[in-house]
Amino acid sequence: MESRRRRSVLTLSASAALLVAAPLLSACGNDAHPGAAALVEGNRITMGQLQSRVGAVRDAQRGAPQGEQMIKQTGQLTRATLDGMIRERIVEKAARDSDVKVSRREVQQLRSQLEQQAGGHKQLENTLLRQQAVAPDEIDDRIRMQLRVEKIAKAADIDPRSPEGNQRLNAELAKASKAMKIDVNPRYGKWDTGRSTLAGAKTPWLRDLTGAAADRQQQGV
């Protein structure tokens, strides 16, 4: 079941900033939105949902080799996790707008390929936990997001490997985000309307899920 998907998608590491014009609304931690970490299109990301995802990562880190080091390196995990949860919703809407669909079969095919490249399912889990703070149970969701972004780019005839392509991809995703009225609880920072990130995070839309690029960077290759 090994996928023939282009290898370049797995090694994209160029940082992309999504340009957004949506205004920052009033804090969602007030009486109008109790218990919300953020509002996206009027739908709540609850503090419970956020804490549950953060807790899953921390539990996995504690049980992993060099887990203490992982925890120290992810001191901003809550903010980074909320940023990722919001971006997932942006991509989901952009996929709907582009009539893009990703099947469970496609997710499993790409996961099988990634596991083979990583040296096994456990190695893939450890790589994503160490380099991207992804808990094992969240891997399929991360792969699904990756595939959606790839298909959104393809539907718009965009090559995201080039600077021009990255700019076009940003603009394409901005179409979905402009009307989403993203409103973040101020305890987690402010939503950057210029970069569409939380607390100044710079996360590429397409990421190296094998971790090979990050390993090469750490080794100075």
Side-chain angles (χ1 to χ4, degrees):
M1 295 178 62
E2 181 176 342
S3 171
R4 296 178 180 272
R5 188 165 305 280
R6 291 175 303 158
R7 190 178 184 85
S8 60
V9 174
L10 305 179
T11 57
L12 287 171
S13 58
S15 179
L18 175 62
L19 300 178
V20 181
L24 183 66
L25 305 180
S26 59
C28 66
N30 58 24
D31 292 339
H33 312 298
L39 287 177
V40 181
E41 282 193 305
N43 297 315
R44 298 197 310 168
I45 297 176
T46 69
M47 292 184 182
Q49 290 170 330
L50 174 60
Q51 291 165 1
S52 176
R53 189 173 292 196
V54 171
V57 174
R58 289 300 189 214
D59 287 344
Q61 288 175 332
R62 292 186 188 100
Q66 300 179 327
E68 187 174 338
Q69 182 180 358
M70 289 186 198
I71 293 172
K72 289 180 180 179
Q73 291 174 343
T74 52
Q76 297 296 318
L77 179 60
T78 300
R79 289 183 179 183
T81 300
L82 180 58
D83 178 81
M85 294 174 77
I86 293 171
R87 290 161 67 88
E88 285 174 4
R89 284 156 177 76
I90 293 172
V91 172
E92 184 178 1
K93 177 172 172 55
R96 291 197 305 269
D97 293 345
S98 300
D99 197 26
V100 161
K101 296 180 176 62
V102 173
S103 69
R104 181 179 300 179
R105 178 182 176 86
E106 288 175 305
V107 172
Q108 291 305 313
Q109 285 179 331
L110 182 52
R111 178 162 184 163
S112 294
Q113 181 178 346
L114 292 169
E115 288 177 350
Q116 183 176 14
Q117 292 180 359
H121 77 276
K122 194 64 178 178
Q123 287 83 351
L124 178 63
E125 289 180 357
N126 290 337
T127 294
L128 291 177
L129 179 64
R130 184 179 73 254
Q131 296 185 354
Q132 298 184 26
V134 177
D137 289 346
E138 300 294 334
I139 291 177
D140 283 357
D141 289 338
R142 180 60 58 88
I143 292 173
R144 184 174 294 104
M145 178 177 173
Q146 183 94 347
L147 289 170
R148 280 173 172 164
V149 173
E150 180 191 354
K151 287 191 174 186
I152 290 166
K154 184 177 181 180
D157 194 25
I158 293 171
D159 179 4
R161 293 171 296 180
S162 67
E164 296 80 6
N166 265 321
Q167 291 177 1
R168 289 186 59 200
L169 178 59
N170 296 340
E172 193 70 20
L173 291 168
K175 292 178 186 178
S177 67
K178 285 179 180 178
M180 295 180 79
K181 299 181 179 179
I182 299 168
D183 180 5
V184 176
N185 188 316
R187 74 173 61 185
Y188 301 116
K190 292 184 178 180
W191 187 254
D192 188 329
T193 57
R195 296 177 178 175
S196 192
T197 57
L198 182 62
K202 296 181 180 180
T203 305
W205 289 104
L206 285 170
R207 306 183 69 174
D208 174 17
L209 298 182
T210 65
D215 283 341
R216 288 195 298 270
Q217 185 177 16
Q218 291 174 3
Q219 295 167 7
V221 177

